Amino acid sequence: MNISGYQWSVLKPLLKQRFTQLSDEDLIFERGKELELFMRLERKIGKPQEDVARIIKGMQQCYLQQSLL
């Protein structure tokens, strides 16, 4: 899954709002280390990595496309 720095700056607060147990440290994004991010989120929210990817992809499609309109 491709995530840009801009996208992550939009998605990060949305994830924190939906999953209140997430901290800023849990949501650190580094290009090329997306798998590590997904593993942290998987542990913290208790959902499989596929679900985490699906949640993020859904947010990308919904919120980021709205901002382009």
Side-chain angles (χ1 to χ4, degrees):
M1 174 178 299
N2 287 334
I3 303 172
S4 72
Y6 163 74
Q7 288 178 340
W8 193 246
S9 68
V10 173
L11 295 174
K12 182 178 172 179
L14 296 172
L15 285 165
K16 279 184 80 170
Q17 182 178 2
R18 182 167 176 189
F19 301 103
T20 57
Q21 69 270 34
L22 293 175
S23 67
D24 287 331
E25 291 80 31
D26 296 325
L27 293 166
I28 293 173
F29 169 74
E30 293 181 55
R31 193 122 182 95
K33 295 187 177 183
E34 289 88 352
L35 182 58
E36 291 176 22
L37 171 65
F38 288 128
M39 289 170 46
R40 280 194 309 272
L41 295 176
E42 177 183 22
R43 281 191 310 270
K44 203 66 176 210
I45 65 175
K47 295 193 180 285
Q49 190 173 342
E50 296 81 22
D51 288 350
V52 171
R54 197 172 307 122
I55 290 165
I56 292 173
K57 184 174 180 136
M59 286 181 167
Q60 281 178 314
Q61 291 174 338
C62 182
Y63 294 104
L64 295 175
Q65 285 182 1
Q66 283 180 5
S67 68
L68 295 175
L69 297 176

